[in-house]
Amino acid sequence: MPRYQYGCQDCGESFEKELRMSQSGETQICPACGSDQTRKRIGAVAVTSGGPARQSAPPPRSPFT
Ligand SMILES: [Zn+2]
């Protein structure tokens, strides 16, 4: 299940939630203050631990000559 990181607009708490894709758009309640003024920070953080996400090198460009 992917994890999402949220930040609370009211108290600044940041927390992660494991959500199904269908739940990812729902408002999450801040566990610290109970506010619903939370924002999803980034897409999905790494699902499994085990090093940083691999970044594939950009494909080689063919010259325009
Ligand atoms: Zn809060």
Side-chain angles (χ1 to χ4, degrees), residues 8-13 15 30-35 37-38:
C8 176
Q9 306 285 294
D10 282 353
C11 73
E13 176 78 1
F15 58 99
C30 173
C33 71
S35 170
Q37 299 300 306
T38 56

Side-chain angles (χ1 to χ4, degrees), residues 5-33:
Q5 191 170 51
Y6 289 84
C8 176
Q9 306 285 294
D10 282 353
C11 73
E13 176 78 1
S14 61
F15 58 99
E16 289 182 8
K17 283 272 191 175
E18 282 192 4
L19 300 173
R20 297 175 193 281
M21 294 303 278
S22 59
Q23 296 176 299
S24 63
E26 295 177 7
T27 300
Q28 300 303 318
I29 302 300
C30 173
C33 71

